[in-house]
Amino acid sequence: MKVKMLSRNPDNYVRETKLDLQRVPRNYDPTLHPFEVPREYVRALNATKLERVFAKPFLASLDGHRDGVNCLAKHPKSLATVLSGACDGEVRIWNLTKQKCIRAIQAHEGFVRGMCTRFCGTSFFTVGDDKTVKQWKMDAPAYGEEEEPLHTILGKTVYTGIDHHWKEAVFATCGQQVDIWDEQRTSPICSMTWGFDSISSVKFNPIETFLLGSCASDRNIVLYDMRQSTPLKKVILDMRTNTICWNPMEAFIFTAANEDYNLYTFDMRALDTPVVVHKDHVSAVLDVDYSPTGKEFVSASFDKSIRIFPVDKSRSREVYHTKRMQHVICVKWTSDSKYIMCGSDEMNIRLWKANASEKLGVLTSREKAAKDYNQKLKEKFRHHPHIKRIARHRHLPKSIYSQIQEQRIMKEARRRKEINRLKHSKPGSVPVVSEKKKHVVAVVK
Amino acid sequence: MTADRAAESLLALSQQEELVDLPKDYPLSASEDEGDSDEERKHQKLLEAISSLGGKNRRKLAERSEASLKVSEFNVSSEGSGEKLVLADLLEPVKTSSSLATVKKQLNRVKSKKTLELPLNKEEVERARTPLEQEIFNLLHKNKQPVTDPLLTPVEKASLKAMSLEEAKMRRAELQRARALQSYYEARARREKKIKSKKYHRVVKKAKAKQALKEFEHLQKVDPTAALEELEKIEKARMMERMSLKHQNSGKWAKSKAIMAKYDLEARQAMQEQLAKNKELTQKLQAASESEEEEGGTEVEELVLDAVNEAQMNADGLNPWMLRSCTSDAKEGEIQEDPEQLPEPLAHNVSESEDERPVTEEEIVLKEFEKRRSLRKRSELNQDAELRGSQETKDSTSQEVLFELRTLSQKFKESHQSRKQKASSMETVPQVQREEPAPEEEEPLLLQRPERVQTLEELEELEKEGCFQNKELPRPMLEGHRLKKNPNNQTDAPKKKRKEQMIDLKNLLTTKSPSVKSLAVPTIEELEDEVERDQKQMIKEAFAGDDVIRDFLKEKREAVEASKPQDVDLTLPGWGEWGGVGLKPSAKKRRRFLIKAPEGPPRKDKNLPNVIINEKRNIHAAAHQVRVLPYPFTHYRQFERTIQTPIGSTWNTQRAFQKLTTPKIVTKAGHIIKPIKAEDVGYRSSSRSDLSIIQGNPIRLSAHHKKQLKKNSID
């Protein structure tokens, strides 16, 4: 009798190594898997909910400073190293993995106003209220060696900020004027002024390294080219800009943190209109830093919170706050784009996750696939009202919450008044100014 | 000499004519009438001779058929060819004694008189033999009804006599009027019957049904016993309905509708209605079924039920409660297996006897039964049955087997019938005759039947009688037995009718079996089928109460009604006319102020019978829907398309899934991302070793930006 048997090629179902995934035969016939959209919607909803459930961004608080933290600096080569300067002139170097201070230097008398690391990561510069610029070795002094700066430059005026060139041994300071220094010299190569007010911050462009921008108390942002002796152009805004930050991925984009609670992203080629006006803070924005991916930036505000904005969005995607965090003075996004550090008035440096619900540590491939899938789902269904509501929902401290309400009312009132004025005046006599243009007073070249 | 002889023979003839009824050994005597008759004869003969002399007939000579007195030389012929020869002629002595003439005379006289009235004979005719007849006669006599000639009853006669002429006239007029009325009604009935409108008949039928229901309800209140009888009638009607093929969606009309139903809503509705009607008609009344269950407590009836169920199950019947579970089947299988081991001495005989059984129409039910046993040998089974039958035990197993035997025999009959019909359609020999040489082995079984019949249900009894009758065994003993046992079945016709009813019942039970399977189908498959069917039946049983289709139809109808736009009535009562309690605004006014709602657009589910499309906005669903077209999209279709493309691995291959879910930016923990360089963008060739950012969509810098970059770097 002939017996018929099933015969299959083992290659089709036996995996080659035990590390391979088992081959699972699947039928993708859409009739067998109905209700794609509703099912994915539910998955997206669940993913969104889970995201909120696991949103625990706060990682650690680095305490040790005896006064408010005034400035922060990243190490260009080491992710674990962070430098911070306090209002009492103390500089501390922290190891993030251990969450400990590895070095503390009494660098200045009075505030440490600004701080920057050299591009090679061997030394760092500080400026303080004592009108000095000091260069320090990154490494701790050997046993018995005294803790003192490599170089100290005594200036005539107070320096309020410092930044180092990304490729050359050149740094720039700001105060009364913008000075560009050679590391080897005790006098600046070039000094540039435009107006008479004190300049609060100066920043080198990380891509077009000859370019630098500064912001002054007379409400203007001035752009310079290091190769010229005169500034390039300036834009005058409604209120004073506290600091600016260049986008590390787009050479001519920078964002300015303004006193009027807003942040303005400018294209330096067209300063008359900001690209995006970022609104969400309810108090002056004190600091801003770009994510190394160039897609997002973080802002620190006087309203005791930090917010994360997508570059192209006018609203923040995230707000971080804790009960004990006071006015946040400085903020930095780490070079691996995973963490955010912020230094605040109450002497603490806080470490946050950049993505609040991200799982730290190693992910298996399946976890990663699930994460990616969920992320895509959230993105796909982000316009659906329920998902939107859940994703947007944040708990806010009462002060901020009430401030938001109040400001909304104020804004509404202003808008209404504007409309009324427009309505009750001769057509054309009252120009309609867009929200973007409203804040730019003038652009000067 | 010849004349003498002739005279003698004639005498003998006449004598015989007169004494036909008398015994032969009466003494014959010469009578006075003898001479008269002789003269007459002679005269006739003479006349004949004269007529023969002068005509064409002269030559005509009668053919000789019998030995006659005279033989001519031309042809053999008798002289008195017109007369027949009688046996008495031959037996008569040549000479008659004249002493008997007086007796003969006397007898003739007696004969010439009118026949005597037999006093006892009439009595015999009228006298009732059976008690029933006696009763009837008594009744007739009491009421003075004419027994033989029912023209006018004595009472009527008396009244006619008593009436005067006028009265009689009046009476006659009355009668005439009554007759006219009757004829009028008849004509009317005929006319109504001729009306072809189906709708009219439907309406009439409905009205009648309604009336009957009302009466029944009334009867229930007034006379419960009569109501119960009525209920039984209804039950019977239900049975009839179950037996018939009406309302089964199997008729010509229903089939045509079924074809139309796909496109025509009305046809579909009609079909549904018919089915619903069938259900309604065949629905068992609760009380009746309960009582039946109670009655069915005895073992015998249970057995009968079982047997019926079995047939039902085989036929894939629709009546769920009549089903038996598979376990019972298995049990039966055991029972059947037992007898297989028994010896088979009589098997051959029985099969023979079955061959000789009359060819009758038999139940289709048993086809399945037959199939199930197709693997077993027929002879074995038969032998078993025979053995059981002869044992005549009262225990349940034997009864069951007996039942099987009966059904089997019927089945065989059926098969034989078909075979015979094919083989010998010209055979005219009555089947009754063919049965005469039935073997002796069959006798005891056949004889026992009536006894067993009494123990079984009436239904079964009837059926058996039918069988029995069909056999029509000519043996007097058997017949006598039958007559004794069943005094009612005097006539064949009604029984045959009843029997046909039984067949109908079975037919009905099997109508649902869609295909008659061949004998070659293996038993195992069939058993599996049965299990499946059993499952289906169980489900049907469980959900017997809820008519989903009707519910759905009702729901849809309600939805349609609800979606119709409402008219607006703006009538103000009392405005321009008197108003108050009981006063309605005039029709004219109402008509004037009634704003008719415009007919809405046709429903989308108008042509979809199985669908209800609700076009109302569902707020629960709306809460999950996007209200405004999101920013980057310019048309809702774009947005819908993005939403409708699934990205999960359920709908996509692994590779596609990976591609679809790859994030735009992937960053690795612990890797420093350095600012972009002009070289990275592709302007100058350079290593991107320090760039650990992977960009999903190649660089978001626009061409414009790139150009700018280039320019800057040149500067």
Side-chain angles (χ1 to χ4, degrees):
Chain A
M1 193 175 84
K2 194 185 177 186
V3 180
K4 286 185 179 176
M5 292 181 72
L6 285 176
S7 72
R8 291 193 179 128
N9 184 5
D11 293 347
N12 292 334
Y13 58 92
V14 175
R15 51 183 181 170
E16 284 174 8
T17 69
K18 67 172 185 179
L19 296 173
D20 287 352
L21 277 179
Q22 290 283 12
R23 189 187 284 266
V24 183
R26 284 191 50 86
N27 191 346
Y28 291 103
D29 183 1
T31 53
L32 296 176
H33 308 285
F35 302 118
E36 304 99 327
V37 178
R39 283 166 80 186
E40 289 217 316
Y41 173 74
V42 169
R43 285 177 195 178
L45 197 61
N46 289 341
T48 314
K49 285 174 182 171
L50 284 179
E51 186 204 75
R52 293 328 301 158
V53 167
F54 292 123
K56 306 243 182 270
F58 182 72
L59 285 177
S61 165
L62 311 174
D63 59 335
H65 277 295
R66 275 157 288 184
D67 208 337
V69 181
N70 201 34
C71 52
L72 281 170
K74 294 183 275 189
H75 192 285
K77 302 283 178 184
S78 161
L79 277 171
T81 312
V82 173
L83 299 89
S84 66
C87 294
D88 59 353
E90 190 185 42
V91 170
R92 277 175 182 262
I93 300 172
W94 305 86
N95 187 329
L96 285 181
T97 45
K98 291 175 186 161
Q99 299 176 7
K100 270 183 184 161
C101 177
I102 47 172
R103 198 170 156 206
I105 313 159
Q106 189 56 47
H108 295 277
E109 287 169 23
F111 281 37
V112 180
R113 287 289 174 185
M115 201 171 188
C116 68
T117 53
R118 203 169 181 274
F119 58 89
C120 60
T122 50
S123 62
F124 63 92
F125 296 84
T126 55
V127 290
D129 272 353
D130 54 0
K131 303 178 187 172
T132 53
V133 179
K134 288 178 179 174
Q135 185 184 11
W136 305 83
K137 269 179 79 176
M138 191 66 80
D139 301 327
Y143 180 71
E145 210 176 321
E146 231 181 291
E147 184 81 89
E148 44 183 25
L150 287 174
H151 302 284
T152 308
I153 302 166
L154 255 166
K156 287 173 191 156
T157 54
V158 176
Y159 299 109
T160 52
I162 185 169
D163 197 20
H164 200 278
H165 192 274
W166 286 80
K167 282 171 183 169
E168 291 170 17
V170 175
F171 66 89
T173 58
C174 63
Q176 293 275 329
Q177 73 284 340
V178 171
D179 294 324
I180 292 165
W181 307 74
D182 192 325
E183 278 181 16
Q184 309 302 321
R185 300 190 182 187
T186 51
S187 57
I189 312 168
C190 159
S191 289
M192 290 177 278
T193 50
W194 198 344
F196 302 99
D197 253 315
S198 64
I199 295 158
S200 59
S201 144
V202 64
K203 289 278 165 69
F204 270 102
N205 188 325
I207 305 162
E208 295 299 319
T209 45
F210 304 111
L211 291 174
L212 62 159
S214 74
C215 44
S217 303
D218 58 355
R219 311 176 297 168
N220 54 22
I221 300 165
V222 189
L223 299 178
Y224 311 89
D225 191 335
M226 214 175 71
R227 296 163 292 188
Q228 296 175 342
S229 56
T230 50
L232 280 175
K233 48 185 166 182
K234 72 174 177 183
V235 56
I236 303 167
L237 299 177
D238 264 347
M239 288 180 86
R240 188 174 85 105
T241 301
N242 283 320
T243 183
I244 64 162
C245 183
W246 292 91
N247 189 327
M249 289 293 154
E250 293 186 71
F252 20 79
I253 302 287
F254 66 89
T255 299
N258 204 281
E259 281 282 314
D260 62 359
Y261 318 161
N262 298 336
L263 292 119
Y264 301 97
T265 298
F266 280 103
D267 185 336
M268 64 174 258
R269 298 163 298 185
L271 288 174
D272 50 347
T273 320
V275 179
V276 189
V277 179
H278 307 276
K279 293 180 161 190
D280 250 354
H281 281 295
V282 286
S283 192
V285 187
L286 300 181
D287 200 7
V288 61
D289 193 32
Y290 261 94
S291 145
T293 60
K295 298 293 178 195
E296 286 173 328
F297 62 81
V298 62
S299 63
S301 168
F302 197 75
D303 61 10
K304 306 176 186 175
S305 71
I306 57 174
R307 281 179 186 269
I308 300 169
F309 290 89
V311 176
D312 49 355
K313 294 275 163 29
S314 63
R315 293 287 168 182
S316 63
R317 76 157 172 87
E318 197 67 86
V319 57
Y320 292 159
H321 58 85
T322 67
K323 229 174 194 176
R324 295 185 179 185
M325 190 161 75
Q326 295 302 310
H327 314 297
V328 191
I329 295 165
C330 52
V331 69
K332 284 279 182 242
W333 202 311
T334 57
S335 311
D336 62 350
S337 85
K338 297 283 184 193
Y339 305 101
I340 287 164
M341 290 167 303
C342 68
S344 46
D345 254 358
E346 89 302 328
M347 306 177 280
N348 276 321
I349 299 163
R350 289 193 168 78
L351 189 67
W352 309 84
K353 286 194 272 186
N355 287 311
S357 58
E358 195 180 29
K359 192 195 168 195
L360 296 178
V362 183
L363 294 175
T364 65
S365 58
R366 292 178 67 190
E367 271 180 314
K368 219 183 282 172
K371 190 195 78 179
D372 290 349
Y373 181 43
N374 284 343
Q375 192 58 43
K376 263 280 162 349
L377 283 179
K378 278 184 270 179
E379 215 169 281
K380 182 181 166 185
F381 288 99
R382 67 182 187 276
H383 300 295
H384 285 69
H386 271 215
I387 287 172
K388 200 189 208 170
R389 185 185 62 78
I390 293 165
R392 276 187 64 231
H393 181 81
R394 295 288 183 283
H395 171 73
L396 283 176
K398 200 180 177 185
S399 58
I400 298 178
Y401 185 76
S402 55
Q403 273 289 301
I404 289 172
Q405 302 303 325
E406 199 181 311
Q407 282 178 18
R408 184 178 298 151
I409 293 164
M410 286 159 68
K411 192 184 152 198
E412 186 55 37
R414 251 179 260 137
R415 199 182 68 87
R416 196 170 59 237
K417 184 164 188 178
E418 220 164 85
I419 290 167
N420 285 344
R421 183 174 290 155
L422 199 67
K423 263 193 226 163
H424 296 101
S425 56
K426 193 179 162 191
S429 64
V430 178
V432 183
V433 187
S434 74
E435 179 66 21
K436 278 179 186 171
K437 286 202 170 167
K438 210 183 277 178
H439 303 285
V440 178
V441 175
V443 179
V444 187
K445 291 189 181 175
Chain B
M1 163 98 184
T2 51
D4 270 356
R5 267 193 195 174
E8 273 168 16
S9 72
L10 279 172
L11 184 72
L13 246 180
S14 66
Q15 272 175 352
Q16 222 219 335
E17 269 175 344
E18 282 161 5
L19 299 173
V20 153
D21 290 329
L22 297 170
K24 295 261 171 174
D25 43 356
Y26 257 70
L28 286 173
S29 61
S31 66
E32 296 148 359
D33 297 335
E34 200 185 357
D36 288 351
S37 66
D38 264 1
E39 273 175 17
E40 273 180 25
R41 287 257 167 199
K42 277 171 190 166
H43 182 67
Q44 202 172 358
K45 265 179 206 166
L46 184 74
L47 282 176
E48 273 176 9
I50 291 164
S51 64
S52 66
L53 271 177
K56 307 159 205 173
N57 293 351
R58 216 177 78 188
R59 276 265 174 142
K60 188 187 169 191
L61 288 167
E63 214 171 297
R64 189 192 160 185
S65 58
E66 297 287 333
S68 70
L69 300 174
K70 218 178 196 176
V71 179
S72 75
E73 66 256 48
F74 303 109
N75 204 346
V76 192
S77 176
S78 64
E79 194 196 60
S81 60
E83 285 169 342
K84 272 188 178 173
L85 190 73
V86 190
L87 190 65
D89 279 345
L90 306 173
L91 292 173
E92 213 67 40
V94 182
K95 281 188 179 177
T96 50
S97 60
S98 57
S99 60
L100 283 172
T102 48
V103 181
K104 199 179 178 182
K105 213 176 183 179
Q106 275 176 351
L107 278 173
N108 275 346
R109 207 182 305 135
V110 166
K111 207 179 179 182
S112 66
K113 267 191 185 174
K114 266 192 180 177
T115 48
L116 275 176
E117 292 248 324
L118 298 171
L120 282 175
N121 200 15
K122 201 178 182 183
E123 280 261 338
E124 190 111 319
V125 168
E126 276 189 0
R127 202 196 345 182
R129 285 168 208 161
T130 60
L132 182 71
E133 280 174 348
Q134 275 174 350
E135 218 170 292
I136 289 165
F137 274 110
N138 280 342
L139 268 172
L140 287 174
H141 281 299
K142 255 182 215 166
N143 293 331
K144 290 183 179 175
Q145 290 291 331
V147 180
T148 48
D149 193 13
L151 267 179
L152 283 173
T153 60
V155 181
E156 280 170 342
K157 271 179 196 166
S159 64
L160 269 175
K161 272 176 193 168
M163 269 190 282
S164 68
L165 183 65
E166 283 173 15
E167 274 176 343
K169 272 182 182 169
M170 271 173 70
R171 173 84 183 133
R172 211 177 69 178
E174 217 169 82
L175 279 171
Q176 267 177 344
R177 203 168 51 234
R179 220 170 295 135
L181 218 60
Q182 192 186 353
S183 70
Y184 162 70
Y185 276 119
E186 272 171 6
R188 188 182 162 194
R190 219 171 296 129
R191 222 183 315 119
E192 273 178 2
K193 204 181 168 189
K194 260 189 186 171
I195 290 173
K196 278 181 182 168
S197 162
K198 280 177 185 170
K199 194 176 179 184
Y200 168 78
H201 283 294
R202 213 179 299 144
V203 168
V204 167
K205 219 185 274 177
K206 220 175 248 181
K208 269 183 191 168
K210 215 175 247 179
Q211 183 66 25
L213 198 72
K214 216 177 255 178
E215 275 172 10
F216 177 67
E217 273 172 9
H218 179 71
L219 207 63
Q220 241 178 347
K221 281 173 197 166
V222 178
D223 189 2
T225 52
L228 214 64
E229 275 171 22
E230 200 72 9
L231 204 69
E232 264 169 25
K233 264 184 209 164
I234 291 168
E235 179 65 14
K236 186 147 192 185
R238 184 188 74 85
M239 281 163 73
M240 294 297 288
E241 173 66 24
R242 276 164 56 79
M243 275 187 260
S244 77
L245 287 174
K246 273 182 184 174
H247 309 119
Q248 303 267 20
N249 265 5
S250 58
K252 204 192 250 177
W253 173 85
K255 271 172 196 162
S256 72
K257 285 286 171 195
I259 292 163
M260 290 293 291
K262 205 170 179 184
Y263 313 102
D264 191 4
L265 190 69
E266 278 178 24
R268 205 174 303 115
Q269 272 174 355
M271 273 185 71
Q272 297 288 1
E273 272 169 25
Q274 203 196 29
L275 276 181
K277 178 144 198 179
N278 177 40
K279 189 149 197 181
E280 192 185 308
L281 286 173
T282 54
Q283 200 156 32
K284 190 145 197 175
L285 296 172
Q286 200 52 45
S289 71
E290 267 174 15
S291 68
E292 269 192 15
E293 273 168 19
E294 280 161 30
E295 281 168 15
T298 61
E299 204 178 65
V300 174
E301 277 185 356
E302 264 180 15
L303 282 168
V304 170
L305 256 183
D306 272 3
V308 171
N309 285 351
E310 188 184 82
Q312 171 100 17
M313 194 152 60
N314 292 336
D316 195 13
L318 266 186
N319 194 350
W321 72 269
M322 283 186 79
L323 266 177
R324 201 165 56 160
S325 63
C326 264
T327 52
S328 68
D329 250 24
K331 202 170 72 193
E332 203 183 77
E334 281 170 38
I335 292 163
Q336 281 162 9
E337 272 168 19
D338 275 348
E340 276 184 6
Q341 292 152 6
L342 293 170
E344 30 179 73
L346 294 169
H348 187 67
N349 292 335
V350 169
S351 64
E352 265 185 355
S353 74
E354 273 163 3
D355 275 340
E356 276 133 17
R357 279 184 191 182
V359 177
T360 54
E361 277 186 24
E362 283 305 337
E363 294 83 349
I364 314 164
V365 193
L366 298 160
K367 278 191 182 169
E368 291 289 331
F369 203 99
E370 180 185 23
K371 263 181 258 158
R372 248 210 296 162
R373 282 154 185 74
S374 63
L375 289 185
R376 294 159 210 266
K377 286 174 188 174
R378 274 184 197 180
S379 56
E380 269 181 356
L381 243 178
N382 293 331
Q383 157 258 328
D384 144 57
E386 181 69 29
L387 277 175
R388 295 292 168 135
S390 60
Q391 273 172 16
E392 206 198 346
T393 48
K394 286 280 176 183
D395 63 329
S396 60
T397 52
S398 73
Q399 294 260 5
E400 196 173 71
V401 172
L402 207 86
F403 184 82
E404 278 178 19
L405 164 79
R406 194 178 59 72
T407 48
L408 260 176
S409 65
Q410 281 164 357
K411 167 201 77 188
F412 283 136
K413 268 180 255 162
E414 187 183 49
S415 60
H416 280 295
Q417 178 201 22
S418 58
R419 218 178 299 155
K420 273 176 191 170
Q421 275 175 350
K422 275 177 205 165
S424 59
S425 58
M426 295 299 288
E427 204 176 30
T428 49
V429 182
Q431 283 146 5
V432 183
Q433 282 180 11
R434 296 186 69 217
E435 269 162 48
E436 278 177 352
E440 290 299 309
E441 279 81 7
E442 187 143 330
E443 263 188 44
L445 177 68
L446 291 168
L447 284 172
Q448 280 155 22
R449 271 205 181 149
E451 285 174 18
R452 223 166 286 120
V453 156
Q454 286 169 343
T455 63
L456 296 178
E457 239 182 338
E458 197 190 24
L459 190 96
E460 299 299 317
E461 194 176 23
L462 283 171
E463 199 178 359
K464 275 186 182 175
E465 273 168 23
C467 265
F468 205 62
Q469 185 60 31
N470 261 325
K471 291 202 176 271
E472 290 190 340
L473 289 171
R475 281 179 217 135
M477 177 184 71
L478 205 65
E479 232 170 52
H481 200 103
R482 194 182 70 203
L483 284 170
K484 206 166 65 189
K485 289 284 170 189
N486 313 320
N488 291 334
N489 53 359
Q490 299 282 340
T491 54
D492 280 359
K495 240 185 292 165
K496 273 199 174 158
K497 264 184 198 166
R498 243 185 278 163
K499 210 223 143 191
E500 286 204 344
Q501 268 188 0
M502 294 320 298
I503 288 164
D504 269 4
L505 171 68
K506 297 279 180 174
N507 272 339
L508 177 83
L509 292 174
T510 55
T511 41
K512 285 295 166 181
S513 71
S515 62
V516 179
K517 287 166 195 165
S518 68
L519 283 170
V521 178
T523 326
I524 302 160
E525 274 183 30
E526 207 138 278
L527 282 171
E528 277 171 12
D529 276 7
E530 274 166 31
V531 171
E532 244 173 63
R533 246 177 272 144
D534 203 39
Q535 195 79 19
K536 274 184 191 172
Q537 288 296 337
M538 290 254 280
I539 289 165
K540 265 182 198 167
E541 208 175 320
F543 295 100
D546 30 327
D547 188 351
V548 186
I549 294 167
R550 194 193 290 172
D551 285 355
F552 179 81
L553 284 176
K554 195 181 161 199
E555 200 179 316
K556 179 159 185 179
R557 217 175 302 129
E558 278 167 5
V560 168
E561 285 299 316
S563 70
K564 269 183 189 164
Q566 301 289 322
D567 294 349
V568 185
D569 191 3
L570 294 175
T571 320
L572 280 174
W575 189 260
E577 60 193 0
W578 286 107
V581 181
L583 283 175
K584 279 181 186 170
S586 66
K588 186 183 161 195
K589 199 176 162 191
R590 256 183 287 154
R591 215 180 308 127
R592 195 180 155 193
F593 288 103
L594 184 76
I595 298 171
K596 283 232 170 181
E599 210 160 282
R603 284 181 67 88
K604 277 186 180 170
D605 55 6
K606 202 175 75 178
N607 296 321
L608 301 168
N610 303 331
V611 182
I612 300 174
I613 296 176
N614 186 0
E615 286 184 90
K616 262 192 218 161
R617 187 179 142 90
N618 183 357
I619 49 163
H620 301 292
H624 290 270
Q625 284 169 341
V626 182
R627 267 162 244 149
V628 206
L629 188 68
Y631 159 61
F633 303 102
T634 51
H635 197 269
Y636 74 93
R637 288 242 173 75
Q638 293 175 333
F639 179 62
E640 275 177 1
R641 222 171 295 140
T642 62
I643 292 297
Q644 273 161 8
T645 337
I647 49 174
S649 57
T650 321
W651 300 275
N652 296 296
T653 59
Q654 191 57 28
R655 194 148 299 163
F657 171 69
Q658 276 170 357
K659 262 185 193 168
L660 282 168
T661 55
T662 317
K664 278 180 185 165
I665 298 165
V666 180
T667 56
K668 280 184 184 173
H671 281 254
I672 293 171
I673 303 163
K674 287 203 166 173
I676 200 166
K677 286 181 231 157
E679 299 89 58
D680 293 330
V681 202
Y683 173 62
R684 271 174 237 154
S685 65
S686 136
S687 69
R688 27 166 93 192
S689 58
D690 51 355
L691 186 79
S692 52
I693 174 166
I694 302 153
Q695 298 216 338
N697 50 346
I699 312 303
R700 286 197 48 173
L701 295 177
S702 61
H704 170 69
H705 283 199
K706 275 180 200 164
K707 233 180 262 168
Q708 189 64 36
L709 251 179
K710 208 161 135 189
K711 202 176 96 188
N712 285 343
S713 57
I714 288 162
D715 286 340

